[in-house]
Amino acid sequence: MSMFCFQCEQTAKGTGCTVGGVCGKKADTANYQDELTGELIALAKAAQKNTPGVSTYTTIIDGLFTTITNVNFDNESLQRKINNIRAEKEKLLPSCSGCAGGCVKADGYDMGELWGGNEDIRSLKSLILFGLRGMAAYAHHAYVLGKSDETVNRFFCKGLAAIGKDSCTDELLALVMELGNVNLKCMELLDAANNETYGTPVPTAVTTNIEKGPFIVISGHDLHDLKLLLEQTKGKGINIYTHSEMLPAHGYPELKKYPHLKGNFGTAWQNQQVEFENIPAPILFTTNCLMPPKASYADRVFTTSVVDYPEIKHIGDDKDFTPVINKALELGGYADNHAMTGINGGSTLTTGFAHGTVLSVADKVIDAVKAGAIRHFFLVGGCDGAKPGRNYYTEFVRQTPNDTVVLTLACGKYRFNDLDLGEIGGLPRMMDMGQCNDAYSAIRVAVALSQAFNCTVNELPLTLVLSWYEQKAVCILLTLLALGIKNIFIGPSLPAFISPNILKVLVDNYNLTPISTPEADLKKILG
């Protein structure tokens, strides 16, 4: 075994990648990421014994974000980050000359101890580690917009330090639930940052067609990078198109006001190697999910922030997108208008139904429920991926009865977001609430409805049907469980890092249920 990684849904044979990553990550890169994680654990232990500053927290957050699936494939970049982590640890704990004691000043934690340890302990520590990685993405985006929280920051240290300690299952289970609660605070922080910076999202129809002429495709999740790109391309005759999780950007007033933010290119992240084939435009990756670029478009891929790939041009902290702009002008775009559609043939996607919009019409929603016009709500969302079985979500949504509402978020919606489900009382039956981090919107809406009907969230006519691929989905699931939300359906397969004993705990306490077939699950839910 030259590596070990089982953090994503598509891990090899459903057990773990041991030769190379299904994501395209090579064995040596995986080992660099393990070394980086081990150094983060050592830094977190040092931070617990001292008073860390902003640089310690940002080093931990960005280091965790770097190790999310489909973010960083570059060994040189990872080695630089490892060196930075060690330097940060040295600032907290200057070397003791001649000391041979085994303390937190020693080398980083050996991740081999975790991967080869007790199955249940490994399972719980993996839940914590992968949840921290997901939460780090949200903390990173919030920090860029000037928002941070000491409780969130300190928990990164607490959670990482626990991975490097001997703990029993009860201690780790409690920490898993604490992570879920802290992640709720982190998502709330990011929600506030986005709304204060870009305004409250409004329902917006977005075309999938591409106009002729120069354009740039921007992928990932970072709205700040999109805003900078829009500013730097003003008046240059270059159109901007979002890709995958950037789609919800069209709903924010301070972003949609730019007339050259034109539409959305393609579908979910896992289709990029087909959809970017010979694209006459550059693609800027601001976060995950980057796949190894094919030769037909590798010369026009750019990365920034924590994203890195060997021999791909990286835009540094100065955020000068001139190379991307010049490449767009050089390539020239399509000679004629270029028609594209969603997976089901639709050419218009609607987004912008975050909690601000949905709660503004809460009275209509409540009246529709009381009148029997709305029988049930489904939240169908999460990560998309290429593994067989994900057509389940398309068919599930397609088969939902006309008196039900489908809320959705994250890139899993690309399986069905070009379907026309019609309306109920003037409200669309399908409402896109945004990116994966906008799960906070769904929680806000669920809590508001439970208060309106004077019941618990679990008593609402609401069912969560989730798809997962990577670590941000993990921290969202932990938040839902920490809130006591039960009867969640999850798929297309269960995480490889959940041991049978830990799965039993989740099933017994929360009735976490693997998906089966759309017909069977709808019958079970609706009776």
Side-chain angles (χ1 to χ4, degrees), residues 416-450:
F416 49 80
N417 66 342
D418 61 330
L419 292 173
D420 183 0
L421 298 186
E423 297 182 345
I424 299 177
L427 299 173
R429 280 194 57 227
M430 187 185 335
M431 302 182 191
D432 176 12
M433 307 191 84
Q435 298 179 338
C436 57
N437 50 281
D438 292 314
Y440 178 74
S441 274
I443 292 169
R444 281 281 303 273
V445 169
V447 170
L449 288 174
S450 69

PDB file of all heavy atoms in Angstrom, residues 416-450:
ATOM      1  N   PHE A 416     -31.126  17.687 -11.799  1.00  0.00           N
ATOM      2  CA  PHE A 416     -32.544  17.933 -12.070  1.00  0.00           C
ATOM      3  C   PHE A 416     -32.920  19.414 -12.145  1.00  0.00           C
ATOM      4  O   PHE A 416     -34.080  19.747 -12.359  1.00  0.00           O
ATOM      5  CB  PHE A 416     -33.413  17.266 -10.989  1.00  0.00           C
ATOM      6  CG  PHE A 416     -32.974  17.562  -9.579  1.00  0.00           C
ATOM      7  CD1 PHE A 416     -33.296  18.758  -8.960  1.00  0.00           C
ATOM      8  CD2 PHE A 416     -32.207  16.641  -8.872  1.00  0.00           C
ATOM      9  CE1 PHE A 416     -32.881  19.039  -7.676  1.00  0.00           C
ATOM     10  CE2 PHE A 416     -31.780  16.904  -7.570  1.00  0.00           C
ATOM     11  CZ  PHE A 416     -32.126  18.108  -6.969  1.00  0.00           C
ATOM     12  N   ASN A 417     -31.976  20.345 -11.985  1.00  0.00           N
ATOM     13  CA  ASN A 417     -32.372  21.750 -11.855  1.00  0.00           C
ATOM     14  C   ASN A 417     -32.819  22.393 -13.164  1.00  0.00           C
ATOM     15  O   ASN A 417     -33.248  23.547 -13.168  1.00  0.00           O
ATOM     16  CB  ASN A 417     -31.271  22.591 -11.195  1.00  0.00           C
ATOM     17  CG  ASN A 417     -30.014  22.714 -12.041  1.00  0.00           C
ATOM     18  OD1 ASN A 417     -29.791  21.929 -12.961  1.00  0.00           O
ATOM     19  ND2 ASN A 417     -29.183  23.683 -11.720  1.00  0.00           N
ATOM     20  N   ASP A 418     -32.735  21.666 -14.281  1.00  0.00           N
ATOM     21  CA  ASP A 418     -33.290  22.210 -15.520  1.00  0.00           C
ATOM     22  C   ASP A 418     -34.678  21.639 -15.820  1.00  0.00           C
ATOM     23  O   ASP A 418     -35.246  21.904 -16.888  1.00  0.00           O
ATOM     24  CB  ASP A 418     -32.349  21.947 -16.703  1.00  0.00           C
ATOM     25  CG  ASP A 418     -32.107  20.474 -16.960  1.00  0.00           C
ATOM     26  OD1 ASP A 418     -32.146  19.686 -15.989  1.00  0.00           O
ATOM     27  OD2 ASP A 418     -31.887  20.099 -18.122  1.00  0.00           O
ATOM     28  N   LEU A 419     -35.239  20.871 -14.870  1.00  0.00           N
ATOM     29  CA  LEU A 419     -36.607  20.374 -15.025  1.00  0.00           C
ATOM     30  C   LEU A 419     -37.605  21.484 -14.676  1.00  0.00           C
ATOM     31  O   LEU A 419     -37.350  22.296 -13.790  1.00  0.00           O
ATOM     32  CB  LEU A 419     -36.861  19.181 -14.090  1.00  0.00           C
ATOM     33  CG  LEU A 419     -36.107  17.880 -14.376  1.00  0.00           C
ATOM     34  CD1 LEU A 419     -36.357  16.891 -13.235  1.00  0.00           C
ATOM     35  CD2 LEU A 419     -36.519  17.277 -15.714  1.00  0.00           C
ATOM     36  N   ASP A 420     -38.732  21.486 -15.358  1.00  0.00           N
ATOM     37  CA  ASP A 420     -39.813  22.427 -15.029  1.00  0.00           C
ATOM     38  C   ASP A 420     -40.866  21.668 -14.230  1.00  0.00           C
ATOM     39  O   ASP A 420     -41.638  20.892 -14.781  1.00  0.00           O
ATOM     40  CB  ASP A 420     -40.416  23.009 -16.314  1.00  0.00           C
ATOM     41  CG  ASP A 420     -41.490  24.055 -16.027  1.00  0.00           C
ATOM     42  OD1 ASP A 420     -41.760  24.323 -14.835  1.00  0.00           O
ATOM     43  OD2 ASP A 420     -42.070  24.593 -16.993  1.00  0.00           O
ATOM     44  N   LEU A 421     -40.895  21.902 -12.922  1.00  0.00           N
ATOM     45  CA  LEU A 421     -41.853  21.204 -12.056  1.00  0.00           C
ATOM     46  C   LEU A 421     -43.145  21.989 -11.870  1.00  0.00           C
ATOM     47  O   LEU A 421     -44.054  21.516 -11.176  1.00  0.00           O
ATOM     48  CB  LEU A 421     -41.228  20.927 -10.690  1.00  0.00           C
ATOM     49  CG  LEU A 421     -39.984  20.032 -10.646  1.00  0.00           C
ATOM     50  CD1 LEU A 421     -39.592  19.751  -9.202  1.00  0.00           C
ATOM     51  CD2 LEU A 421     -40.177  18.745 -11.410  1.00  0.00           C
ATOM     52  N   GLY A 422     -43.226  23.177 -12.458  1.00  0.00           N
ATOM     53  CA  GLY A 422     -44.442  23.971 -12.314  1.00  0.00           C
ATOM     54  C   GLY A 422     -44.482  24.758 -11.014  1.00  0.00           C
ATOM     55  O   GLY A 422     -43.451  24.972 -10.364  1.00  0.00           O
ATOM     56  N   GLU A 423     -45.689  25.187 -10.628  1.00  0.00           N
ATOM     57  CA  GLU A 423     -45.866  26.041  -9.457  1.00  0.00           C
ATOM     58  C   GLU A 423     -46.983  25.532  -8.561  1.00  0.00           C
ATOM     59  O   GLU A 423     -47.808  24.717  -8.976  1.00  0.00           O
ATOM     60  CB  GLU A 423     -46.206  27.479  -9.903  1.00  0.00           C
ATOM     61  CG  GLU A 423     -45.124  28.168 -10.699  1.00  0.00           C
ATOM     62  CD  GLU A 423     -45.508  29.595 -11.048  1.00  0.00           C
ATOM     63  OE1 GLU A 423     -46.711  29.934 -10.916  1.00  0.00           O
ATOM     64  OE2 GLU A 423     -44.614  30.378 -11.435  1.00  0.00           O
ATOM     65  N   ILE A 424     -46.963  26.041  -7.328  1.00  0.00           N
ATOM     66  CA  ILE A 424     -48.076  25.860  -6.388  1.00  0.00           C
ATOM     67  C   ILE A 424     -48.436  27.232  -5.849  1.00  0.00           C
ATOM     68  O   ILE A 424     -47.626  27.872  -5.154  1.00  0.00           O
ATOM     69  CB  ILE A 424     -47.717  24.923  -5.220  1.00  0.00           C
ATOM     70  CG1 ILE A 424     -47.344  23.526  -5.709  1.00  0.00           C
ATOM     71  CG2 ILE A 424     -48.879  24.828  -4.231  1.00  0.00           C
ATOM     72  CD1 ILE A 424     -46.922  22.584  -4.601  1.00  0.00           C
ATOM     73  N   GLY A 425     -49.616  27.725  -6.169  1.00  0.00           N
ATOM     74  CA  GLY A 425     -50.057  29.025  -5.663  1.00  0.00           C
ATOM     75  C   GLY A 425     -49.115  30.160  -6.003  1.00  0.00           C
ATOM     76  O   GLY A 425     -48.912  31.066  -5.182  1.00  0.00           O
ATOM     77  N   GLY A 426     -48.520  30.115  -7.184  1.00  0.00           N
ATOM     78  CA  GLY A 426     -47.605  31.167  -7.602  1.00  0.00           C
ATOM     79  C   GLY A 426     -46.174  30.968  -7.152  1.00  0.00           C
ATOM     80  O   GLY A 426     -45.284  31.741  -7.523  1.00  0.00           O
ATOM     81  N   LEU A 427     -45.920  29.937  -6.357  1.00  0.00           N
ATOM     82  CA  LEU A 427     -44.566  29.619  -5.902  1.00  0.00           C
ATOM     83  C   LEU A 427     -44.020  28.459  -6.728  1.00  0.00           C
ATOM     84  O   LEU A 427     -44.729  27.478  -6.968  1.00  0.00           O
ATOM     85  CB  LEU A 427     -44.570  29.224  -4.422  1.00  0.00           C
ATOM     86  CG  LEU A 427     -45.073  30.277  -3.435  1.00  0.00           C
ATOM     87  CD1 LEU A 427     -45.182  29.670  -2.040  1.00  0.00           C
ATOM     88  CD2 LEU A 427     -44.138  31.480  -3.419  1.00  0.00           C
ATOM     89  N   PRO A 428     -42.762  28.544  -7.176  1.00  0.00           N
ATOM     90  CA  PRO A 428     -42.195  27.428  -7.928  1.00  0.00           C
ATOM     91  C   PRO A 428     -42.076  26.185  -7.060  1.00  0.00           C
ATOM     92  O   PRO A 428     -41.769  26.286  -5.869  1.00  0.00           O
ATOM     93  CB  PRO A 428     -40.823  27.943  -8.361  1.00  0.00           C
ATOM     94  CG  PRO A 428     -40.489  29.023  -7.396  1.00  0.00           C
ATOM     95  CD  PRO A 428     -41.791  29.635  -6.996  1.00  0.00           C
ATOM     96  N   ARG A 429     -42.328  25.037  -7.653  1.00  0.00           N
ATOM     97  CA  ARG A 429     -42.202  23.786  -6.889  1.00  0.00           C
ATOM     98  C   ARG A 429     -40.749  23.444  -6.595  1.00  0.00           C
ATOM     99  O   ARG A 429     -40.481  22.676  -5.659  1.00  0.00           O
ATOM    100  CB  ARG A 429     -42.851  22.631  -7.653  1.00  0.00           C
ATOM    101  CG  ARG A 429     -44.370  22.568  -7.534  1.00  0.00           C
ATOM    102  CD  ARG A 429     -44.880  21.223  -8.034  1.00  0.00           C
ATOM    103  NE  ARG A 429     -44.247  20.134  -7.302  1.00  0.00           N
ATOM    104  CZ  ARG A 429     -43.725  19.053  -7.874  1.00  0.00           C
ATOM    105  NH1 ARG A 429     -43.752  18.910  -9.194  1.00  0.00           N
ATOM    106  NH2 ARG A 429     -43.180  18.110  -7.142  1.00  0.00           N
ATOM    107  N   MET A 430     -39.810  23.966  -7.385  1.00  0.00           N
ATOM    108  CA  MET A 430     -38.402  23.735  -7.115  1.00  0.00           C
ATOM    109  C   MET A 430     -37.726  25.060  -6.796  1.00  0.00           C
ATOM    110  O   MET A 430     -37.842  26.017  -7.550  1.00  0.00           O
ATOM    111  CB  MET A 430     -37.696  23.077  -8.303  1.00  0.00           C
ATOM    112  CG  MET A 430     -36.270  22.685  -7.951  1.00  0.00           C
ATOM    113  SD  MET A 430     -35.238  22.012  -9.290  1.00  0.00           S
ATOM    114  CE  MET A 430     -36.352  21.328 -10.443  1.00  0.00           C
ATOM    115  N   MET A 431     -37.020  25.109  -5.663  1.00  0.00           N
ATOM    116  CA  MET A 431     -36.349  26.332  -5.237  1.00  0.00           C
ATOM    117  C   MET A 431     -34.881  26.029  -4.928  1.00  0.00           C
ATOM    118  O   MET A 431     -34.582  25.244  -4.023  1.00  0.00           O
ATOM    119  CB  MET A 431     -37.023  26.920  -3.993  1.00  0.00           C
ATOM    120  CG  MET A 431     -38.495  27.236  -4.165  1.00  0.00           C
ATOM    121  SD  MET A 431     -39.188  27.992  -2.664  1.00  0.00           S
ATOM    122  CE  MET A 431     -40.951  27.930  -3.023  1.00  0.00           C
ATOM    123  N   ASP A 432     -33.981  26.660  -5.687  1.00  0.00           N
ATOM    124  CA  ASP A 432     -32.546  26.497  -5.477  1.00  0.00           C
ATOM    125  C   ASP A 432     -32.087  27.460  -4.395  1.00  0.00           C
ATOM    126  O   ASP A 432     -32.104  28.676  -4.577  1.00  0.00           O
ATOM    127  CB  ASP A 432     -31.807  26.752  -6.787  1.00  0.00           C
ATOM    128  CG  ASP A 432     -30.294  26.704  -6.631  1.00  0.00           C
ATOM    129  OD1 ASP A 432     -29.820  26.255  -5.561  1.00  0.00           O
ATOM    130  OD2 ASP A 432     -29.594  27.104  -7.580  1.00  0.00           O
ATOM    131  N   MET A 433     -31.633  26.922  -3.262  1.00  0.00           N
ATOM    132  CA  MET A 433     -31.250  27.739  -2.109  1.00  0.00           C
ATOM    133  C   MET A 433     -29.780  28.145  -2.136  1.00  0.00           C
ATOM    134  O   MET A 433     -29.340  28.912  -1.277  1.00  0.00           O
ATOM    135  CB  MET A 433     -31.570  27.006  -0.817  1.00  0.00           C
ATOM    136  CG  MET A 433     -33.007  26.526  -0.745  1.00  0.00           C
ATOM    137  SD  MET A 433     -33.505  25.924   0.884  1.00  0.00           S
ATOM    138  CE  MET A 433     -33.944  27.482   1.671  1.00  0.00           C
ATOM    139  N   GLY A 434     -29.000  27.618  -3.107  1.00  0.00           N
ATOM    140  CA  GLY A 434     -27.631  28.092  -3.237  1.00  0.00           C
ATOM    141  C   GLY A 434     -26.572  27.017  -3.198  1.00  0.00           C
ATOM    142  O   GLY A 434     -26.781  25.877  -3.605  1.00  0.00           O
ATOM    143  N   GLN A 435     -25.389  27.410  -2.708  1.00  0.00           N
ATOM    144  CA  GLN A 435     -24.237  26.522  -2.625  1.00  0.00           C
ATOM    145  C   GLN A 435     -24.394  25.536  -1.470  1.00  0.00           C
ATOM    146  O   GLN A 435     -25.350  25.605  -0.696  1.00  0.00           O
ATOM    147  CB  GLN A 435     -22.961  27.347  -2.438  1.00  0.00           C
ATOM    148  CG  GLN A 435     -22.640  28.292  -3.580  1.00  0.00           C
ATOM    149  CD  GLN A 435     -21.374  29.096  -3.318  1.00  0.00           C
ATOM    150  OE1 GLN A 435     -20.940  29.277  -2.165  1.00  0.00           O
ATOM    151  NE2 GLN A 435     -20.754  29.599  -4.384  1.00  0.00           N
ATOM    152  N   CYS A 436     -23.395  24.650  -1.316  1.00  0.00           N
ATOM    153  CA  CYS A 436     -23.460  23.675  -0.225  1.00  0.00           C
ATOM    154  C   CYS A 436     -23.476  24.372   1.137  1.00  0.00           C
ATOM    155  O   CYS A 436     -24.191  23.947   2.051  1.00  0.00           O
ATOM    156  CB  CYS A 436     -22.297  22.690  -0.313  1.00  0.00           C
ATOM    157  SG  CYS A 436     -20.660  23.452  -0.310  1.00  0.00           S
ATOM    158  N   ASN A 437     -22.710  25.463   1.268  1.00  0.00           N
ATOM    159  CA  ASN A 437     -22.690  26.172   2.548  1.00  0.00           C
ATOM    160  C   ASN A 437     -24.016  26.862   2.847  1.00  0.00           C
ATOM    161  O   ASN A 437     -24.274  27.263   3.967  1.00  0.00           O
ATOM    162  CB  ASN A 437     -21.570  27.208   2.581  1.00  0.00           C
ATOM    163  CG  ASN A 437     -21.559  28.112   1.367  1.00  0.00           C
ATOM    164  OD1 ASN A 437     -21.090  27.699   0.321  1.00  0.00           O
ATOM    165  ND2 ASN A 437     -22.062  29.324   1.497  1.00  0.00           N
ATOM    166  N   ASP A 438     -24.870  26.986   1.827  1.00  0.00           N
ATOM    167  CA  ASP A 438     -26.180  27.583   2.049  1.00  0.00           C
ATOM    168  C   ASP A 438     -27.172  26.595   2.648  1.00  0.00           C
ATOM    169  O   ASP A 438     -28.376  26.876   2.706  1.00  0.00           O
ATOM    170  CB  ASP A 438     -26.718  28.162   0.741  1.00  0.00           C
ATOM    171  CG  ASP A 438     -25.902  29.360   0.278  1.00  0.00           C
ATOM    172  OD1 ASP A 438     -25.615  30.223   1.129  1.00  0.00           O
ATOM    173  OD2 ASP A 438     -25.516  29.418  -0.897  1.00  0.00           O
ATOM    174  N   ALA A 439     -26.670  25.444   3.100  1.00  0.00           N
ATOM    175  CA  ALA A 439     -27.506  24.556   3.908  1.00  0.00           C
ATOM    176  C   ALA A 439     -28.037  25.313   5.117  1.00  0.00           C
ATOM    177  O   ALA A 439     -29.089  24.967   5.666  1.00  0.00           O
ATOM    178  CB  ALA A 439     -26.705  23.330   4.365  1.00  0.00           C
ATOM    179  N   TYR A 440     -27.320  26.363   5.509  1.00  0.00           N
ATOM    180  CA  TYR A 440     -27.802  27.209   6.600  1.00  0.00           C
ATOM    181  C   TYR A 440     -29.167  27.796   6.265  1.00  0.00           C
ATOM    182  O   TYR A 440     -30.026  27.939   7.140  1.00  0.00           O
ATOM    183  CB  TYR A 440     -26.789  28.326   6.873  1.00  0.00           C
ATOM    184  CG  TYR A 440     -27.228  29.282   7.952  1.00  0.00           C
ATOM    185  CD1 TYR A 440     -27.213  28.907   9.289  1.00  0.00           C
ATOM    186  CD2 TYR A 440     -27.679  30.565   7.636  1.00  0.00           C
ATOM    187  CE1 TYR A 440     -27.630  29.786  10.288  1.00  0.00           C
ATOM    188  CE2 TYR A 440     -28.092  31.448   8.622  1.00  0.00           C
ATOM    189  CZ  TYR A 440     -28.066  31.051   9.946  1.00  0.00           C
ATOM    190  OH  TYR A 440     -28.486  31.905  10.925  1.00  0.00           O
ATOM    191  N   SER A 441     -29.389  28.139   4.998  1.00  0.00           N
ATOM    192  CA  SER A 441     -30.686  28.668   4.575  1.00  0.00           C
ATOM    193  C   SER A 441     -31.784  27.643   4.799  1.00  0.00           C
ATOM    194  O   SER A 441     -32.879  27.967   5.273  1.00  0.00           O
ATOM    195  CB  SER A 441     -30.648  29.067   3.096  1.00  0.00           C
ATOM    196  OG  SER A 441     -30.175  30.384   2.927  1.00  0.00           O
ATOM    197  N   ALA A 442     -31.500  26.399   4.450  1.00  0.00           N
ATOM    198  CA  ALA A 442     -32.495  25.341   4.631  1.00  0.00           C
ATOM    199  C   ALA A 442     -32.821  25.156   6.106  1.00  0.00           C
ATOM    200  O   ALA A 442     -33.985  24.950   6.484  1.00  0.00           O
ATOM    201  CB  ALA A 442     -31.984  24.038   4.025  1.00  0.00           C
ATOM    202  N   ILE A 443     -31.793  25.246   6.950  1.00  0.00           N
ATOM    203  CA  ILE A 443     -32.009  25.105   8.388  1.00  0.00           C
ATOM    204  C   ILE A 443     -32.860  26.265   8.906  1.00  0.00           C
ATOM    205  O   ILE A 443     -33.802  26.059   9.688  1.00  0.00           O
ATOM    206  CB  ILE A 443     -30.654  25.047   9.121  1.00  0.00           C
ATOM    207  CG1 ILE A 443     -29.936  23.739   8.771  1.00  0.00           C
ATOM    208  CG2 ILE A 443     -30.849  25.167  10.626  1.00  0.00           C
ATOM    209  CD1 ILE A 443     -28.487  23.691   9.220  1.00  0.00           C
ATOM    210  N   ARG A 444     -32.561  27.487   8.460  1.00  0.00           N
ATOM    211  CA  ARG A 444     -33.342  28.648   8.889  1.00  0.00           C
ATOM    212  C   ARG A 444     -34.812  28.492   8.505  1.00  0.00           C
ATOM    213  O   ARG A 444     -35.713  28.791   9.293  1.00  0.00           O
ATOM    214  CB  ARG A 444     -32.783  29.922   8.225  1.00  0.00           C
ATOM    215  CG  ARG A 444     -31.534  30.487   8.853  1.00  0.00           C
ATOM    216  CD  ARG A 444     -31.845  31.279  10.122  1.00  0.00           C
ATOM    217  NE  ARG A 444     -32.780  32.377   9.900  1.00  0.00           N
ATOM    218  CZ  ARG A 444     -32.440  33.597   9.521  1.00  0.00           C
ATOM    219  NH1 ARG A 444     -31.152  33.898   9.310  1.00  0.00           N
ATOM    220  NH2 ARG A 444     -33.358  34.542   9.368  1.00  0.00           N
ATOM    221  N   VAL A 445     -35.047  28.023   7.285  1.00  0.00           N
ATOM    222  CA  VAL A 445     -36.424  27.847   6.812  1.00  0.00           C
ATOM    223  C   VAL A 445     -37.132  26.762   7.613  1.00  0.00           C
ATOM    224  O   VAL A 445     -38.292  26.913   8.026  1.00  0.00           O
ATOM    225  CB  VAL A 445     -36.448  27.522   5.304  1.00  0.00           C
ATOM    226  CG1 VAL A 445     -37.840  27.076   4.854  1.00  0.00           C
ATOM    227  CG2 VAL A 445     -35.998  28.742   4.496  1.00  0.00           C
ATOM    228  N   ALA A 446     -36.441  25.644   7.853  1.00  0.00           N
ATOM    229  CA  ALA A 446     -37.051  24.545   8.613  1.00  0.00           C
ATOM    230  C   ALA A 446     -37.416  24.982  10.028  1.00  0.00           C
ATOM    231  O   ALA A 446     -38.507  24.675  10.526  1.00  0.00           O
ATOM    232  CB  ALA A 446     -36.104  23.353   8.647  1.00  0.00           C
ATOM    233  N   VAL A 447     -36.512  25.713  10.674  1.00  0.00           N
ATOM    234  CA  VAL A 447     -36.785  26.180  12.037  1.00  0.00           C
ATOM    235  C   VAL A 447     -37.961  27.148  12.039  1.00  0.00           C
ATOM    236  O   VAL A 447     -38.844  27.086  12.918  1.00  0.00           O
ATOM    237  CB  VAL A 447     -35.525  26.836  12.637  1.00  0.00           C
ATOM    238  CG1 VAL A 447     -35.852  27.536  13.952  1.00  0.00           C
ATOM    239  CG2 VAL A 447     -34.437  25.786  12.853  1.00  0.00           C
ATOM    240  N   ALA A 448     -38.003  28.049  11.056  1.00  0.00           N
ATOM    241  CA  ALA A 448     -39.102  29.020  10.975  1.00  0.00           C
ATOM    242  C   ALA A 448     -40.450  28.322  10.775  1.00  0.00           C
ATOM    243  O   ALA A 448     -41.460  28.687  11.385  1.00  0.00           O
ATOM    244  CB  ALA A 448     -38.847  30.012   9.843  1.00  0.00           C
ATOM    245  N   LEU A 449     -40.474  27.303   9.920  1.00  0.00           N
ATOM    246  CA  LEU A 449     -41.714  26.563   9.700  1.00  0.00           C
ATOM    247  C   LEU A 449     -42.138  25.811  10.960  1.00  0.00           C
ATOM    248  O   LEU A 449     -43.330  25.757  11.291  1.00  0.00           O
ATOM    249  CB  LEU A 449     -41.550  25.587   8.534  1.00  0.00           C
ATOM    250  CG  LEU A 449     -41.470  26.205   7.132  1.00  0.00           C
ATOM    251  CD1 LEU A 449     -41.171  25.127   6.090  1.00  0.00           C
ATOM    252  CD2 LEU A 449     -42.764  26.939   6.784  1.00  0.00           C
ATOM    253  N   SER A 450     -41.166  25.226  11.662  1.00  0.00           N
ATOM    254  CA  SER A 450     -41.510  24.493  12.884  1.00  0.00           C
ATOM    255  C   SER A 450     -42.101  25.434  13.930  1.00  0.00           C
ATOM    256  O   SER A 450     -43.033  25.075  14.655  1.00  0.00           O
ATOM    257  CB  SER A 450     -40.276  23.768  13.443  1.00  0.00           C
ATOM    258  OG  SER A 450     -39.328  24.692  13.955  1.00  0.00           O
TER     259      SER A 450
END
